[in-house]
PDB file of all heavy atoms in Angstrom:
ATOM      1  N   ALA J 631     213.512-155.848  19.938  1.00  0.00           N
ATOM      2  CA  ALA J 631     213.747-154.842  18.868  1.00  0.00           C
ATOM      3  C   ALA J 631     213.833-153.426  19.437  1.00  0.00           C
ATOM      4  O   ALA J 631     214.605-152.591  18.991  1.00  0.00           O
ATOM      5  CB  ALA J 631     212.656-154.904  17.816  1.00  0.00           C
ATOM      6  N   MET J 632     213.013-153.129  20.456  1.00  0.00           N
ATOM      7  CA  MET J 632     213.006-151.793  21.083  1.00  0.00           C
ATOM      8  C   MET J 632     214.301-151.482  21.814  1.00  0.00           C
ATOM      9  O   MET J 632     214.639-150.327  22.000  1.00  0.00           O
ATOM     10  CB  MET J 632     211.841-151.641  22.023  1.00  0.00           C
ATOM     11  CG  MET J 632     210.460-151.621  21.367  1.00  0.00           C
ATOM     12  SD  MET J 632     210.249-150.419  20.048  1.00  0.00           S
ATOM     13  CE  MET J 632     210.314-151.514  18.612  1.00  0.00           C
ATOM     14  N   SER J 633     215.044-152.528  22.210  1.00  0.00           N
ATOM     15  CA  SER J 633     216.250-152.278  22.991  1.00  0.00           C
ATOM     16  C   SER J 633     217.281-151.463  22.196  1.00  0.00           C
ATOM     17  O   SER J 633     218.199-150.857  22.771  1.00  0.00           O
ATOM     18  CB  SER J 633     216.878-153.608  23.431  1.00  0.00           C
ATOM     19  OG  SER J 633     217.304-154.374  22.312  1.00  0.00           O
ATOM     20  N   ARG J 634     217.111-151.387  20.869  1.00  0.00           N
ATOM     21  CA  ARG J 634     218.077-150.579  20.060  1.00  0.00           C
ATOM     22  C   ARG J 634     217.907-149.100  20.328  1.00  0.00           C
ATOM     23  O   ARG J 634     218.788-148.320  19.942  1.00  0.00           O
ATOM     24  CB  ARG J 634     217.905-150.877  18.595  1.00  0.00           C
ATOM     25  CG  ARG J 634     216.630-150.341  17.909  1.00  0.00           C
ATOM     26  CD  ARG J 634     216.501-150.908  16.516  1.00  0.00           C
ATOM     27  NE  ARG J 634     215.474-150.278  15.718  1.00  0.00           N
ATOM     28  CZ  ARG J 634     214.165-150.605  15.772  1.00  0.00           C
ATOM     29  NH1 ARG J 634     213.729-151.540  16.627  1.00  0.00           N
ATOM     30  NH2 ARG J 634     213.321-149.992  14.947  1.00  0.00           N
ATOM     31  N   PHE J 635     216.847-148.688  20.978  1.00  0.00           N
ATOM     32  CA  PHE J 635     216.630-147.292  21.326  1.00  0.00           C
ATOM     33  C   PHE J 635     217.082-146.936  22.748  1.00  0.00           C
ATOM     34  O   PHE J 635     216.913-145.792  23.184  1.00  0.00           O
ATOM     35  CB  PHE J 635     215.150-146.911  21.118  1.00  0.00           C
ATOM     36  CG  PHE J 635     214.655-147.141  19.729  1.00  0.00           C
ATOM     37  CD1 PHE J 635     213.632-148.018  19.459  1.00  0.00           C
ATOM     38  CD2 PHE J 635     215.244-146.455  18.670  1.00  0.00           C
ATOM     39  CE1 PHE J 635     213.187-148.230  18.162  1.00  0.00           C
ATOM     40  CE2 PHE J 635     214.826-146.658  17.349  1.00  0.00           C
ATOM     41  CZ  PHE J 635     213.772-147.545  17.111  1.00  0.00           C
ATOM     42  N   ASP J 636     217.546-147.908  23.487  1.00  0.00           N
ATOM     43  CA  ASP J 636     218.011-147.639  24.867  1.00  0.00           C
ATOM     44  C   ASP J 636     219.272-146.769  24.784  1.00  0.00           C
ATOM     45  O   ASP J 636     220.092-146.883  23.871  1.00  0.00           O
ATOM     46  CB  ASP J 636     218.282-148.921  25.587  1.00  0.00           C
ATOM     47  CG  ASP J 636     218.624-148.683  27.035  1.00  0.00           C
ATOM     48  OD1 ASP J 636     217.665-148.565  27.834  1.00  0.00           O
ATOM     49  OD2 ASP J 636     219.814-148.638  27.391  1.00  0.00           O
ATOM     50  N   TRP J 637     219.438-145.899  25.774  1.00  0.00           N
ATOM     51  CA  TRP J 637     220.630-145.001  25.813  1.00  0.00           C
ATOM     52  C   TRP J 637     221.917-145.812  25.810  1.00  0.00           C
ATOM     53  O   TRP J 637     222.956-145.321  25.340  1.00  0.00           O
ATOM     54  CB  TRP J 637     220.539-144.125  27.034  1.00  0.00           C
ATOM     55  CG  TRP J 637     219.806-142.835  26.855  1.00  0.00           C
ATOM     56  CD1 TRP J 637     218.676-142.422  27.510  1.00  0.00           C
ATOM     57  CD2 TRP J 637     220.115-141.766  25.917  1.00  0.00           C
ATOM     58  NE1 TRP J 637     218.279-141.188  27.041  1.00  0.00           N
ATOM     59  CE2 TRP J 637     219.146-140.752  26.082  1.00  0.00           C
ATOM     60  CE3 TRP J 637     221.093-141.609  24.935  1.00  0.00           C
ATOM     61  CZ2 TRP J 637     219.119-139.596  25.343  1.00  0.00           C
ATOM     62  CZ3 TRP J 637     221.105-140.433  24.212  1.00  0.00           C
ATOM     63  CH2 TRP J 637     220.135-139.447  24.387  1.00  0.00           C
ATOM     64  N   ARG J 638     221.863-147.049  26.293  1.00  0.00           N
ATOM     65  CA  ARG J 638     223.069-147.862  26.313  1.00  0.00           C
ATOM     66  C   ARG J 638     223.589-148.122  24.899  1.00  0.00           C
ATOM     67  O   ARG J 638     224.764-148.348  24.664  1.00  0.00           O
ATOM     68  CB  ARG J 638     222.828-149.185  27.043  1.00  0.00           C
ATOM     69  CG  ARG J 638     222.631-149.048  28.549  1.00  0.00           C
ATOM     70  CD  ARG J 638     222.107-150.326  29.156  1.00  0.00           C
ATOM     71  NE  ARG J 638     220.714-150.526  28.826  1.00  0.00           N
ATOM     72  CZ  ARG J 638     219.906-151.513  29.345  1.00  0.00           C
ATOM     73  NH1 ARG J 638     220.500-152.364  30.228  1.00  0.00           N
ATOM     74  NH2 ARG J 638     218.664-151.652  29.025  1.00  0.00           N
ATOM     75  N   VAL J 639     222.653-148.117  23.916  1.00  0.00           N
ATOM     76  CA  VAL J 639     222.999-148.313  22.485  1.00  0.00           C
ATOM     77  C   VAL J 639     223.159-146.969  21.800  1.00  0.00           C
ATOM     78  O   VAL J 639     224.076-146.764  21.007  1.00  0.00           O
ATOM     79  CB  VAL J 639     221.927-149.158  21.807  1.00  0.00           C
ATOM     80  CG1 VAL J 639     222.222-149.324  20.341  1.00  0.00           C
ATOM     81  CG2 VAL J 639     221.799-150.534  22.488  1.00  0.00           C
ATOM     82  N   VAL J 640     222.216-146.047  22.070  1.00  0.00           N
ATOM     83  CA  VAL J 640     222.166-144.799  21.336  1.00  0.00           C
ATOM     84  C   VAL J 640     223.278-143.848  21.731  1.00  0.00           C
ATOM     85  O   VAL J 640     223.879-143.172  20.841  1.00  0.00           O
ATOM     86  CB  VAL J 640     220.781-144.141  21.518  1.00  0.00           C
ATOM     87  CG1 VAL J 640     220.751-142.751  20.897  1.00  0.00           C
ATOM     88  CG2 VAL J 640     219.662-145.006  20.936  1.00  0.00           C
ATOM     89  N   ALA J 641     223.582-143.724  23.010  1.00  0.00           N
ATOM     90  CA  ALA J 641     224.588-142.730  23.440  1.00  0.00           C
ATOM     91  C   ALA J 641     225.961-142.964  22.769  1.00  0.00           C
ATOM     92  O   ALA J 641     226.590-142.021  22.323  1.00  0.00           O
ATOM     93  CB  ALA J 641     224.702-142.779  24.956  1.00  0.00           C
ATOM     94  N   PRO J 642     226.429-144.221  22.666  1.00  0.00           N
ATOM     95  CA  PRO J 642     227.702-144.397  21.944  1.00  0.00           C
ATOM     96  C   PRO J 642     227.666-143.951  20.513  1.00  0.00           C
ATOM     97  O   PRO J 642     228.668-143.469  19.949  1.00  0.00           O
ATOM     98  CB  PRO J 642     227.962-145.921  22.087  1.00  0.00           C
ATOM     99  CG  PRO J 642     227.225-146.317  23.315  1.00  0.00           C
ATOM    100  CD  PRO J 642     225.997-145.478  23.337  1.00  0.00           C
ATOM    101  N   ALA J 643     226.507-144.145  19.856  1.00  0.00           N
ATOM    102  CA  ALA J 643     226.364-143.664  18.456  1.00  0.00           C
ATOM    103  C   ALA J 643     226.442-142.168  18.395  1.00  0.00           C
ATOM    104  O   ALA J 643     227.064-141.597  17.489  1.00  0.00           O
ATOM    105  CB  ALA J 643     225.060-144.189  17.879  1.00  0.00           C
ATOM    106  N   TYR J 644     225.787-141.452  19.343  1.00  0.00           N
ATOM    107  CA  TYR J 644     225.913-140.036  19.421  1.00  0.00           C
ATOM    108  C   TYR J 644     227.364-139.628  19.628  1.00  0.00           C
ATOM    109  O   TYR J 644     227.907-138.730  18.971  1.00  0.00           O
ATOM    110  CB  TYR J 644     225.101-139.491  20.608  1.00  0.00           C
ATOM    111  CG  TYR J 644     223.613-139.309  20.411  1.00  0.00           C
ATOM    112  CD1 TYR J 644     222.855-140.261  19.732  1.00  0.00           C
ATOM    113  CD2 TYR J 644     222.963-138.228  20.967  1.00  0.00           C
ATOM    114  CE1 TYR J 644     221.492-140.109  19.575  1.00  0.00           C
ATOM    115  CE2 TYR J 644     221.588-138.058  20.814  1.00  0.00           C
ATOM    116  CZ  TYR J 644     220.850-139.000  20.151  1.00  0.00           C
ATOM    117  OH  TYR J 644     219.519-138.826  20.023  1.00  0.00           O
ATOM    118  N   ASP J 645     227.981-140.257  20.597  1.00  0.00           N
ATOM    119  CA  ASP J 645     229.385-139.899  20.949  1.00  0.00           C
ATOM    120  C   ASP J 645     230.296-140.030  19.772  1.00  0.00           C
ATOM    121  O   ASP J 645     231.125-139.149  19.514  1.00  0.00           O
ATOM    122  CB  ASP J 645     229.855-140.812  22.103  1.00  0.00           C
ATOM    123  CG  ASP J 645     229.200-140.516  23.435  1.00  0.00           C
ATOM    124  OD1 ASP J 645     228.636-139.421  23.594  1.00  0.00           O
ATOM    125  OD2 ASP J 645     229.252-141.382  24.335  1.00  0.00           O
TER     126      ASP J 645
END
Side-chain angles (χ1 to χ4, degrees):
M632 292 306 105
S633 64
R634 72 191 191 276
F635 300 119
D636 187 82
W637 273 119
R638 290 167 288 186
V639 177
V640 174
Y644 279 41
D645 289 341

